[in-house]
Amino acid sequence: MTGSLTRLSVALRIALRELRGGLKGFYIFLACIALGTGAIAAVNSVSGAITNAISSEGRTLLAGDMRFELDNRETTAEERAFLERFGDVSVSTNLRSMARLADGSDQSLVEIKAVDQAYPLYGRLTAEPDRPLNELLAPEGDVYGALVAPLLLERMNIKVGDDLLVGNARFRITGTIANEPDAISDGFGFAPRFLTSRDALRASGLIATGSLVEHAYKIRFENPDQSAAAIRTEAERDFPAAGWSIRASDRAAPALAENVERFSQFLTLVGLTALIVGGVGVANAVRAFLDSKRTVIATLKCVGAPASVVVMVYLIQITLVATLGIALGLVLGAIAPMITASYLQGVLPISTEFTLYPRALLLAGIFGLLVTFAFAILPLGHARRVPATALFREQGFEESGLAPWPYIVTMVLALGAMAALAIFTSEQQRIATIFLAAMAAGFVLLRLVAYLIALAAKRSPRINSAALRLAVGNIHRPGALTPAVTLSLGLGLSLLVALALIDGNLRRELTGNLPERAPNFFFVDIQGSEVERFRQVVEGLSPKGKLIEVPMLRGRVLELNGIDVAKVDVPPEGRWVLRGDRGLTYARNLPENSSLAEGEWWPADYAGEPLVSFSEEEGRELGLKIGDTITVNVLGRNITARLANFRKVQWESLSMNFVMIFSPNTFAGAPHAWLATLIDGEATAGDEATILRSVTQQFPTITTVRVKDAIEVVDKLVGQLATAIRAAAAIALIASVLVLSGALAAGNRARTHDAVILKTLGATRAMLIRAFTYEYMLLGTATAVFALASGGGIAWFVLTRIMKLPSAFLPDVAVSTIVIALVVTIGIGLAGTWRILGQKAAPVLREL
């Protein structure tokens, strides 16, 4: 024990004394660790900031202590009395409709929110001008006040003080909305906000039988210590058929919190990719550093230092430098929420105050340490094994063979711990496992690619050009850059190619193929009394178009096989079906855009127990099988239907598709509205404008959605997500560049010797520059080809197997990838070797 402490004390003194000379040789090591650790810490800190804000500011975001939501109906007297037992109640109503100019020259889809006098119970709605809400919404005769999102003014080229028609009522715009406290908890909207009073909404005539309307009842507790869980239990017990969705302030925006968490987990995996790619740089940097300390290590061994002391000296140095890099990364992660808040204020609930998120920082720090030890341990093992005499004679550690088995075991354990940590801290463990397995396979494949490149170069025919012959020889010689270049750039470029192809194909679907297949319009809230006249009007406006009408109801899934859905273990990808209300319909015949996957369709005159058809993919995700029962609540009534069949649904067509289609007898006598689509491939933009204007004027209570407008909104969202993902992927590419720089630094001494000998034998600087350029060009091209193949394969899998979309190879992505690879490899390669070409021969020759 005393001997071990003595050796550790000696190693610590030597390590600290050597570090007095600075961090030369460790800068790339430092950058790799700081970059990867910082990325993971920043992503998780920002995620923590958002989710904490949702929890801590839940009352304001919900505008109440609890929220009870009902679809397509208001509370009964008994239900309202129950809610009022616990405190003040504020009611708001949400729906979509069309706002149009009084002269009928323009119209726009709007998200209407009608509020009562008590709104908001918490927080404050801020408008411009900043006046009391009751004043801004007060009517003047038969003209009602309304606040709108500034986007609506821009879209319709109007200003505050102008009038708009919505439904059968006239509204005057009295101001614009600057801050709506509960906007996030109300959910994402595809159209600008239109805020008015509930009296105005009643006057508009938009609320009719079967209208798609959400009524939210928000409670401010009279007793602050009141338990939301107890109220929920009592509500479900006393009103089992109410069908309301209940949310407390600690879960003000569950969909947002879940999406933020999922997105952050994805970016964490991307950051982990950058850290692991940086791990290769760590290995190169440690190898280069130990190579530069070759004579020091040999001297220590010659004067009697045990191999363990030599290893401890440099392990201490590596640990200290890694700790510094991790600290720098954690500082970046700690300030990331403050930086992000300055850009996301008003969009997401995130505080600008400095707050530490220990879990995020701890996770990043552990990842940083594990990567450091996993990739630094093998070079240390080589240093332990090589005898002093060999170190004095040889260039470095390349020929020292495998490291001792304890070092290999330590590396494997560190990598295993890192993989386990990544998997068990992820909500979607299956995806994390696949991601890490793919990364491991990528490393193996890249080593194989490097071997094949070197083998091809070795067996290539003799070339007349001396520079090109030298370049080909450099690719397969011992200590060549081939493995380092393929490893460093291969992963980074593959990730960029995959993301670029996914983004490009999504945009191609949204702006190219999808609009060609998608309907021109969706028409919502068509009342039964209007269906015939509506059909005549639309067919007259679009005689070549195809009008499809289906009955439309809204309902919420309550039970699966008699078990409350809240108690059913559902994988994350299937939870959306059980969250909130779903569109429902009934049909006698199988819809033309669907096909049976399993089971049988019911007869057209079926009159037995209620049956339901479920979309196959979503049904499998929920664990359903033919014969199971599904209980849904529709208009305050619980209906249990038996699963009769599964359907294959083409969601990407944007046709009228439903997760659940019921047998017609299920909703016999139930009031409902109709949903319709119009498909007219020959309709021009002018024809669509005429249809939109005519339908809106003749049927003011029908909501008309132009599909191209919705696609533009989605395309904008996809672009914003793609920017964030590409920024994260760029971190992996930067790590790749650092690794490549480290690989060049690791081989600089060997290349210096080669250059000096060649110059001594008559080679000119120009010839050597050409040789190095050819070498880097060949390696860059080979790496780019691999990245195109692997990235294309990843993109194809994600698009076709996960997103269920067609995948196409995009030539512009291929060209840009090759250009990036060549610029990076040639640029960094020449920058790293330029200094070598100017070395004087005599000092180098004396060392040989």
Side-chain angles (χ1 to χ4, degrees):
M1 185 69 178
T2 303
S4 299
L5 291 176
T6 301
R7 285 194 293 271
L8 179 60
S9 175
V10 171
L12 181 61
R13 286 202 306 273
I14 296 174
L16 294 177
R17 285 175 181 174
E18 279 204 3
L19 284 177
R20 291 176 186 173
L23 298 178
K24 184 179 179 181
F26 276 122
Y27 292 118
I28 292 176
F29 178 135
L30 197 64
C32 288
I33 293 298
L35 185 68
T37 303
I40 295 174
V43 166
N44 286 279
S45 291
V46 171
S47 171
I50 295 173
T51 52
N52 283 6
I54 292 174
S55 177
S56 62
E57 299 179 23
R59 288 179 173 177
T60 300
L61 297 177
L62 196 67
D65 290 299
M66 287 195 77
R67 182 181 192 270
F68 288 73
E69 180 186 311
L70 286 171
D71 296 315
N72 308 325
R73 75 174 184 90
E74 297 191 56
T75 56
T76 63
E78 294 79 8
E79 291 168 343
R80 181 62 184 259
F82 171 79
L83 299 180
E84 290 177 344
R85 280 173 44 200
F86 306 104
D88 298 328
V89 177
S90 173
V91 186
S92 61
T93 302
N94 290 51
L95 72 157
R96 293 187 182 95
S97 188
M98 303 299 295
R100 60 195 191 279
L101 297 179
D103 60 6
S105 61
D106 197 6
Q107 56 281 313
S108 175
L109 182 69
V110 293
E111 297 273 351
I112 296 177
K113 181 175 182 175
V115 299
D116 60 9
Q117 299 276 332
Y119 174 85
L121 296 174
Y122 290 101
R124 181 174 178 269
L125 185 137
T126 307
E128 181 60 42
D130 192 6
R131 290 164 45 198
L133 183 60
N134 291 339
E135 292 182 16
L136 293 169
L137 302 185
E140 296 180 7
D142 60 350
V143 179
Y144 296 91
L147 296 173
V148 301
L151 177 62
L152 185 63
L153 301 184
E154 298 175 14
R155 185 172 292 181
M156 301 187 71
N157 194 26
I158 55 178
K159 61 184 184 301
V160 174
D162 289 349
D163 286 0
L164 288 175
L165 301 178
V166 178
N168 298 319
R170 179 181 290 268
F171 294 83
R172 181 158 297 146
I173 300 174
T174 57
T176 58
I177 301 171
N179 176 56
E180 183 182 347
D182 54 344
I184 290 176
S185 64
D186 281 344
F188 172 77
F190 280 97
R193 173 68 81 202
F194 186 96
L195 186 75
T196 189
S197 65
R198 282 172 55 81
D199 291 337
L201 182 61
R202 293 189 188 97
S204 71
L206 292 174
I207 300 180
T209 301
S211 297
L212 302 183
V213 182
E214 295 177 353
H215 299 282
Y217 296 80
K218 300 173 182 179
I219 307 173
R220 179 173 58 200
F221 291 158
E222 184 177 356
N223 177 9
D225 297 327
Q226 178 68 56
S227 169
I231 295 176
R232 177 194 292 270
T233 301
E234 189 174 349
E236 293 173 346
R237 183 194 65 210
D238 294 350
F239 302 95
W244 44 28
S245 173
I246 306 173
R247 197 187 309 168
S249 59
D250 60 347
R251 294 272 293 168
L256 173 62
E258 186 171 328
N259 288 333
V260 167
E261 185 174 352
R262 286 184 181 179
F263 193 57
S264 68
Q265 287 171 354
F266 169 75
L267 292 182
T268 297
L269 291 174
V270 174
L272 184 58
T273 302
L275 192 56
I276 293 175
V277 170
V280 180
V282 168
N284 287 334
V286 171
R287 185 169 64 85
F289 176 75
L290 291 175
D291 193 58
S292 68
K293 297 292 184 180
R294 188 178 79 264
T295 55
V296 176
I297 295 172
T299 302
L300 288 173
K301 287 189 174 184
C302 287
V303 298
S308 59
V309 170
V310 174
V311 171
M312 280 191 286
V313 167
Y314 295 104
L315 181 60
I316 290 170
Q317 291 186 1
I318 289 167
T319 303
L320 291 175
V321 175
T323 302
L324 177 59
I326 291 170
L328 292 174
L330 295 184
V331 169
L332 175 62
I335 63 175
M338 293 177 60
I339 298 173
T340 306
S342 62
Y343 292 98
L344 296 182
Q345 270 193 317
V347 180
L348 291 176
I350 182 169
S351 173
T352 56
E353 297 180 2
F354 178 73
T355 306
L356 288 177
Y357 298 91
R359 183 182 180 278
L361 300 180
L362 178 62
L363 183 67
I366 293 174
F367 273 129
L369 285 173
L370 289 174
V371 166
T372 298
F373 286 113
F375 287 91
I377 199 69
L378 287 187
L380 288 172
H382 287 306
R384 176 190 180 98
R385 169 166 284 183
V386 178
T389 53
L391 285 172
F392 279 126
R393 288 195 306 267
E394 293 180 1
Q395 294 291 330
F397 302 105
E398 290 86 355
E399 306 299 330
S400 58
L402 291 176
W405 69 265
Y407 293 82
I408 296 176
V409 170
T410 302
M411 181 194 71
V412 171
L413 290 176
L415 289 174
M418 183 176 59
L421 183 63
I423 292 170
F424 290 115
T425 55
S426 173
E427 180 186 358
Q428 296 183 323
Q429 296 182 355
R430 176 174 168 270
I431 292 178
T433 303
I434 294 173
F435 187 93
L436 292 172
M439 188 179 299
F443 265 86
V444 174
L445 187 59
L446 282 166
R447 293 294 297 181
L448 177 61
V449 168
Y451 171 77
L452 293 176
I453 293 172
L455 183 64
K458 187 175 183 178
R459 296 187 177 181
S460 63
R462 181 177 177 81
I463 305 167
N464 292 329
S465 169
L468 187 55
R469 190 163 62 248
L470 180 60
V472 172
N474 282 341
I475 290 175
H476 67 78
R477 67 177 176 80
L481 287 176
T482 307
V485 172
T486 52
L487 269 176
S488 59
L489 282 183
L491 285 176
L493 285 176
S494 296
L495 187 59
L496 276 182
V497 168
L499 293 175
L501 286 174
I502 292 170
D503 177 48
N505 276 278
L506 280 175
R507 290 181 181 278
R508 182 168 168 267
E509 280 293 300
L510 290 171
T511 59
N513 299 337
L514 186 55
E516 295 176 4
R517 303 193 307 267
N520 301 69
F521 291 99
F522 278 93
F523 303 98
V524 185
D525 284 346
I526 307 170
Q527 297 302 307
S529 59
E530 298 176 320
V531 171
E532 185 60 36
R533 189 165 69 91
F534 168 80
R535 183 183 302 121
Q536 294 173 359
V537 170
V538 174
E539 289 177 347
L541 293 169
S542 178
K544 296 182 179 180
K546 181 179 181 181
L547 185 67
I548 303 174
E549 305 149 354
V550 295
M552 178 72 170
L553 302 94
R554 302 291 287 184
R556 178 175 288 107
V557 180
L558 298 182
E559 296 177 351
L560 299 177
N561 292 316
I563 302 174
D564 189 339
V565 294
K567 300 175 182 178
V568 178
D569 185 17
V570 177
E573 56 268 22
R575 290 178 191 166
W576 67 273
V577 178
L578 306 179
R579 187 189 303 121
D581 62 306
R582 300 262 69 79
L584 309 175
T585 190
Y586 58 84
R588 287 183 171 82
N589 302 311
L590 179 69
E592 62 181 33
N593 58 347
S594 301
S595 60
L596 280 181
E598 184 183 354
E600 297 181 357
W601 195 261
W602 45 80
D605 58 351
Y606 178 77
E609 70 170 325
L611 299 178
V612 61
S613 171
F614 222 94
S615 61
E616 182 185 28
E617 182 178 358
E618 286 70 25
R620 304 295 188 197
E621 289 171 349
L622 295 177
L624 297 174
K625 60 184 183 298
I626 302 298
D628 287 348
T629 60
I630 297 104
T631 301
V632 295
N633 183 276
V634 181
L635 297 174
R637 177 186 168 197
N638 288 348
I639 299 173
T640 299
R642 191 167 300 281
L643 182 58
N645 59 70
F646 285 119
R647 288 170 292 114
K648 290 186 180 295
V649 178
Q650 299 176 358
W651 296 107
E652 66 274 11
S653 68
L654 286 190
S655 301
M656 284 191 292
N657 293 307
F658 294 82
V659 174
M660 292 171 280
I661 299 178
F662 290 81
S663 55
N665 62 314
T666 304
F667 302 117
H672 60 79
W674 290 74
L675 172 69
T677 61
L678 175 64
I679 304 173
D680 187 350
E682 299 181 9
T684 65
D687 296 334
E688 290 186 347
T690 300
I691 295 171
L692 178 60
R693 183 168 55 252
S694 299
V695 171
T696 302
Q697 290 175 351
Q698 296 185 55
F699 303 94
T701 59
I702 292 178
T703 301
T704 305
V705 180
R706 185 170 177 263
V707 173
K708 288 182 179 178
D709 293 336
I711 288 175
E712 288 176 2
V713 174
V714 175
D715 184 49
K716 184 178 179 181
L717 288 174
V718 169
Q720 292 171 344
L721 288 175
T723 299
I725 292 172
R726 283 179 176 177
I731 294 175
L733 185 60
I734 292 171
S736 298
V737 171
L738 289 172
V739 172
L740 180 58
S741 301
L744 285 168
N748 266 353
R749 193 156 51 79
R751 290 196 165 238
T752 300
H753 292 162
D754 293 344
V756 166
I757 292 172
L758 289 169
K759 287 170 70 176
T760 303
L761 295 175
T764 64
R765 177 177 293 193
M767 192 271 279
L768 291 177
I769 290 175
R770 286 201 308 274
F772 288 142
T773 301
Y774 290 151
E775 178 188 354
Y776 302 139
M777 186 180 296
L778 290 171
L779 290 176
T781 303
T783 304
V785 170
F786 167 80
L788 287 173
S790 60
I794 294 169
W796 173 85
F797 179 82
V798 172
L799 288 165
T800 60
R801 294 294 183 264
I802 298 177
M803 295 184 175
K804 309 299 182 184
L805 293 173
S807 175
F809 188 77
L810 307 178
D812 56 331
V813 174
V815 173
S816 60
T817 302
I818 291 175
V819 169
I820 291 173
L822 292 179
V823 168
V824 170
T825 51
I826 295 174
I828 296 177
L830 290 180
T833 55
W834 187 264
R835 184 176 58 85
I836 292 173
L837 299 178
Q839 289 284 334
K840 294 186 180 298
V844 176
L845 292 174
R846 279 197 296 266
E847 292 182 1
L848 295 178

